[in-house]
Amino acid sequence: MIRKLLLSGLVLSASFASFAQSLENMQWFNEPEQWKIKDNTLTMAVTPQTDYWRISHYGFTVDDAPFLYSLRGGEFEVKVKISGDYKTRFDQSGLMLRTDNENYIKAGIEFVDGKYNLSTVVTHHTSDWSIIPLEKPVKFIWIKAVRRLDAVEIFYSFDDKEYTMMRNAWLQDNHPVMVGIMAASPDGNGFNAKFEDFSIKHLPDLRRLKWLEQNN
């Protein structure tokens, strides 16, 4: 009976665990020269000639774009509303989950050949890139990532209600993750990016929940 109550409590607490992560308490990796946080909104002038990419296709490695992050363990859901005045090829903004310089996932909007694209880069020693072209520019979009066990599911939404999955990618489980918001301007002179309503929701560990179910 106690174990049943414990399991019920875990599920109930998870349903109320969503909260806005305080951006002021997060850390910078490659801090940009100009940025501001107000009302849980980050605005920044994205550093020119910066990106995250490793080796494949282009033959170079870069790891120098602005990234505001919090260190998280376990399983979680993270989301943010993003917008920007993208100008130059490969201008981008979105979420990033990162264990180290050879293993990370970044997902959001990327401006390519004058068009907006939903973009995901998955890096495990070498980087790959997948895109979903949008028919027209959007003023903003929500990007959400759900880390469960050794997988991360990436979703997008135009209204923060209906979400569509854009990628499922491997990421080592049982390992701390730097999770937060990033922007890059590989070819350009930078642009202004905006991130609103950033939040992280803790998710109870699936293996532990399964054990509790089998041992009640």
Side-chain angles (χ1 to χ4, degrees):
M1 181 66 177
I2 294 175
R3 285 172 177 158
K4 284 184 177 180
L5 289 172
L6 177 59
L7 178 58
S8 299
L10 284 170
V11 174
L12 183 62
S13 64
S15 66
F16 292 99
S18 182
F19 63 93
Q21 166 75 43
S22 175
L23 296 176
E24 290 87 350
N25 294 332
M26 295 169 67
Q27 304 176 63
W28 276 110
F29 182 69
N30 302 317
E31 180 179 352
E33 290 187 5
Q34 298 179 36
W35 59 274
K36 181 175 69 174
I37 293 173
K38 183 178 181 181
D39 299 328
N40 200 40
T41 295
L42 167 68
T43 55
M44 75 163 103
V46 181
T47 310
Q49 305 288 304
T50 58
D51 200 5
Y52 290 99
W53 186 267
R54 281 191 59 83
I55 304 169
S56 60
H57 187 69
Y58 302 109
F60 56 73
T61 295
V62 283
D63 199 55
D64 57 4
F67 175 39
L68 185 68
Y69 73 93
S70 175
L71 190 63
R72 305 286 297 197
E75 301 175 15
F76 54 82
E77 174 186 302
V78 57
K79 69 177 180 178
V80 69
K81 179 183 178 182
I82 60 173
S83 56
D85 60 345
Y86 314 103
K87 300 174 182 177
T88 308
R89 183 180 62 164
F90 303 140
D91 281 356
Q92 60 195 262
S93 65
L95 289 173
M96 186 157 76
L97 288 74
R98 173 186 173 106
T99 56
D100 56 44
N101 66 315
E102 293 192 3
N103 296 276
Y104 55 82
I105 299 168
K106 60 175 182 173
I109 288 287
E110 188 156 355
F111 188 65
V112 184
D113 297 330
K115 295 183 178 181
Y116 285 54
N117 298 267
L118 296 164
S119 170
T120 308
V121 169
V122 177
T123 299
H124 298 303
H125 183 65
T126 56
S127 297
D128 72 35
W129 182 32
S130 59
I131 62 170
I132 302 173
L134 296 178
E135 295 181 357
K136 58 183 180 181
V138 292
K139 291 183 178 180
F140 48 76
I141 197 166
W142 281 264
I143 299 293
K144 179 171 71 174
V146 180
R147 184 195 192 195
R148 276 298 197 185
L149 302 178
D150 63 352
V152 174
E153 292 181 317
I154 308 294
F155 301 84
Y156 69 92
S157 175
F158 298 110
D159 57 10
D160 194 28
K161 296 178 182 177
E162 181 177 346
Y163 279 84
T164 302
M165 189 169 74
M166 54 193 281
R167 187 72 183 264
N168 184 319
W170 179 86
L171 190 69
Q172 181 181 348
D173 65 346
N174 295 318
H175 193 288
V177 178
M178 301 164 66
V179 55
I181 43 191
M182 60 76 60
S185 184
D187 281 10
N189 295 318
F191 64 97
N192 294 318
K194 185 177 182 180
F195 304 85
E196 301 173 81
D197 301 327
F198 178 80
S199 65
I200 299 177
K201 178 172 69 176
H202 168 73
L203 302 175
D205 182 86
L206 282 178
R207 292 188 182 95
R208 182 173 57 186
L209 290 180
K210 185 176 180 180
W211 185 91
L212 288 170
E213 289 174 355
Q214 294 173 345
N215 293 272
N216 56 27

